[in-house]
Structure formats: structure tokens, C-alpha cells
Amino acid sequence: MCAPCEMIVAGYYDTGTKHVTICENRLGNRRAALERTLTHELIHAYDDAFGLRGQKPPLVWTDCRQRACTEIRAAALSGDCSYSAEVARGHFSPINYHQSCVRRRAALSLSMQKECKGRKEADRCVDAVFDECFANHEPFD
């Protein structure tokens, strides 16, 4: 669905309705941002429908580690952390920029969830599952 959003996000996956919403008032007229956002949210939908590796669906959205895993995967696989996107955000680093971006963006997204109790807990959860989830490229394997 494409609709105006009050939240300051480009899009979101609603775990209750199983719908992806693209926030038309947050993207402007940028095709690349639309494609990244849609891919990011569809990865969440995929993880919800099929579960994470080694776990049966559905994803437990209140479990911060499972949520961290889907955020890591979405940031890593959607283009959120492309080199050009990182430079545009002012994060210029030729060394490990992709992994650093994925960690930062996953923790930021996770920290906004009430179940995950802020940035410190979000960082801890992301660190706990990072290697396994970063290596999971489904459904692109």
C-alpha cells in the first residue's frame, strides 16, 4: 500500500495485517529510495512468512534477537547500505563500511521498538546475532 504516514519512516511492514506500506510523504520522487524501501520491507514480510534459518515461522516480533536478525537482513540485502547511500548520509569509510552501516541501521531500527528498550539493548541484540544473520541471504541464495 502507498499512503501518507505520520511516522518518520519511509515504509513499514505491519505484522498484524501482513501489509507493506510505503510512506508517500516521506520518499519524495526518488525511484532508488522507493526500491530500497520496498525491498527492505519485503524482506521483513519474507522473514515473517518463512521464518529465520533454523526457526519455524512466524517470526516472533517481540523477541529482540529475532527482530534484530530481520533488521540486519533487511539492511544488508535491500541496498540500504550501498556505498552511495552511506556517502550521502555522511558516513564515508572505505573499510568495512557495509558491515558498519548494517549494524548501525539495524540497531537504530531496533531501538525504536518498545520491546527492545533503547539503543544499548538494541546494540547488544544486534551484536549477538550479527554474524549468523548477516550471512543469511535468503531468498537471494
Side-chain angles (χ1 to χ4, degrees), residues 108-138:
L108 177 64
S109 183
L110 197 60
S111 71
M112 291 188 265
Q113 307 306 316
K114 65 180 181 249
E115 301 88 2
C116 298
K117 304 176 188 95
R119 187 60 188 254
K120 196 172 198 176
E121 178 68 7
D123 287 339
R124 191 183 68 73
C125 288
V126 167
D127 288 345
V129 299
F130 187 82
D131 291 338
E132 176 185 357
C133 299
F134 186 76
N136 180 348
H137 300 147
E138 292 177 12

Side-chain angles (χ1 to χ4, degrees), residues 22-112:
I22 299 300
C23 300
E24 65 186 19
N25 57 322
R26 302 290 180 212
L27 284 176
N29 192 19
R30 298 174 297 155
R31 181 184 175 119
L34 171 62
E35 289 173 357
R36 280 194 310 269
T37 301
L38 185 57
T39 303
H40 180 110
E41 301 310 330
L42 287 173
I43 289 168
H44 291 321
Y46 178 90
D47 288 349
D48 194 31
F50 297 104
L52 298 166
R53 253 187 213 162
Q55 297 179 355
K56 293 181 182 178
L59 194 70
V60 178
W61 291 93
T62 56
D63 180 318
C64 288
R65 287 182 179 213
Q66 287 190 31
R67 186 109 185 203
C69 192
T70 193
E71 291 298 347
I72 290 164
R73 287 176 28 74
L77 300 173
S78 66
D80 284 350
C81 290
S82 68
Y83 192 71
S84 59
E86 274 295 86
V87 169
R89 291 182 193 112
H91 295 281
F92 178 79
S93 173
I95 301 169
N96 292 328
Y97 81 88
H98 191 252
Q99 291 89 339
S100 296
C101 173
V102 169
R103 281 181 188 277
R104 188 182 71 255
R105 292 188 60 82
L108 177 64
S109 183
L110 197 60
S111 71
M112 291 188 265

